[in-house]
Amino acid sequence: MAQVPQTFFDALAVRTWCGLALETLGRAREEIDAINVYPVADGDTGTNLYLTVESAVAAVEAVFAGHAAGSGPEGPTLADAARAMAHGALIGARGNSGTILAQLLRGMAQVLADDDPAHADGQGLRLALRQAADSARRAVAHPVEGTVLTVASAAADAADAADGARGDCGTVARAAYDGARAALAATPGQLPVLERAGVVDAGGRGLVAVLGALVETFTGERARGVAGSAGTGPSRDPHARVEPAAGPVPVDGALEECADGAAAVPGQEGPAFEVIYLLEAEDRAVERLRERLDALGDSLVVVGGDGLWNVHVHVDDAGAAVEAGIEAGRPHRIRITHFGAGDVHTTGAERPPRERAQRAVVAVVPGEGLAGLYTEAGATTVLARPGEPPASGELVQAVRRAHAREVVLLPNDADLRHTAAAAAEQVRTEGIRVALIPTRSAVQGIAALAVHEPDRRFDEDVVSMTSAAGATRYAEVTVAERQSWTMAGICQAGDVLGLIDGDVAVIGSDVAQTAETVLDRMLSAGGEMVTLVLGDAVPDAVAEHLEGRVREGYLAVDTVVYRGGRQGALLLIGVE
């Protein structure tokens, strides 16, 4: 983390702000999730904001790392860092509030990167906050007061009114924060659903946390806290857990618990699906898309520009929303979440309660074939398509779908560790006991699932599954997309790469030969069982070749082969 305070808004200040915002949202995430009742009471606003900022942080850090790896002494410019922040937030935006936050950051970047200045002063920060608020409001099809849009506008207004702040980013940031905080406290009087629940707007609460990090960036001091309930109460440390009569606690019977644990507001109706996707399209096509999606549903937010957009909408016909995107351009990273019968956004007859199972396993799997395998073994699965990692909300829904008192969660991907941890924390607040086993590959998950015994004590079962996963070395064979430096040397686009425990160990030109080399290296340390998971593009002959190699070269080692489907990697290998 860079030192604070920062004097001007330069590249280092962008980096510092993003890092502090992520830390602040991490501490406030559970509180923000708890007060999330609008537009859908699905309890994931804090998590979605955290994951959105996490993506922005990763993009900014990549820019700094890229410059550090170069030969020149110059670091990234303000424009470099601001654009990376905006792009990272755009591609990683989750949920309604995360999508709006991405547009707020994009609006700021448009000003901060203008004419590529070395740094921005207080005047530049004021202009950036104004552009952020205005552009976010334009991105929402039907702006509603009492939401994060109101809080953003109040922050910009307060920054505009700050006196004696020319050249002083700290004064402007503090004024914006105070204006946002006051507006947040007033949101229950603007939105009846908030008043009934006795909470402030969750998205606005998240924005206040982000602006608090901006104050800390330029002053070195943590901003004053804000209560999570409708009343402002005394000032608090914003990083302490807020203790409202809050979130969400019934106020005169306004909130009820759904069968799956999500809070519901009686009488509120709406579409059944949340659809989110990235879209490569021209501006004219996006304007037509807005009109079509606006007719299909509500909570429509379309953010981005320069050919790349993030589309968010709530609809009853998820297929029609995706088809509209296909007509407009090229949608990808498509996420469809069903709010579930009995959620705030659906109607229909009340479901009869059903008894919870004692224990379940929830696993993320990379292909349809493995999804079938895991399901046959009794697991509830979440499909992770290539380039489309699941959001924490999807994992939460899967845990709820498993409908068990105890859940073992297998992320099966090192990059999903934070997402899975966020999901686990959320469902624990619903009274579900969750153990997260940090599996880094689907083959480790297979090993863990093989020793799973639901009749055993929970702790003993988790220890056994964790031990089995940890004793399984994992590898994958894939194709390089571009030239790059690796642990095994320089690879070119199209080379076949063999990765062992996440690091490139072999660079080759033939899938079978590269896989054989990888397998030999793994078995040199011993092993009793080899698991091979073939992707769609790999012929059966490759598996037959590898099985023969194990049979001839390694006595008493068994081999099992599965078809993984469209799983991203050509081949997954496990040795236990």
Side-chain angles (χ1 to χ4, degrees), residues 526-543:
E528 299 175 355
M529 170 72 75
V530 172
T531 301
L532 303 175
V533 183
L534 278 65
D536 276 345
V538 179
D540 292 335
V542 171

Side-chain angles (χ1 to χ4, degrees), residues 21-77:
L22 187 65
E23 291 180 5
T24 304
L25 285 171
R27 286 185 283 262
R29 180 191 58 75
E30 185 177 346
E31 172 210 336
I32 297 171
D33 281 343
I35 63 173
N36 171 203
V37 297
Y38 182 85
V40 181
D42 49 357
D44 63 359
T45 290
T47 300
N48 286 338
L49 290 170
Y50 179 87
L51 294 172
T52 301
V53 173
E54 184 179 48
S55 182
V57 168
V60 172
E61 290 300 322
V63 166
F64 273 85
H67 278 267
S71 57
E74 297 293 329
T77 65

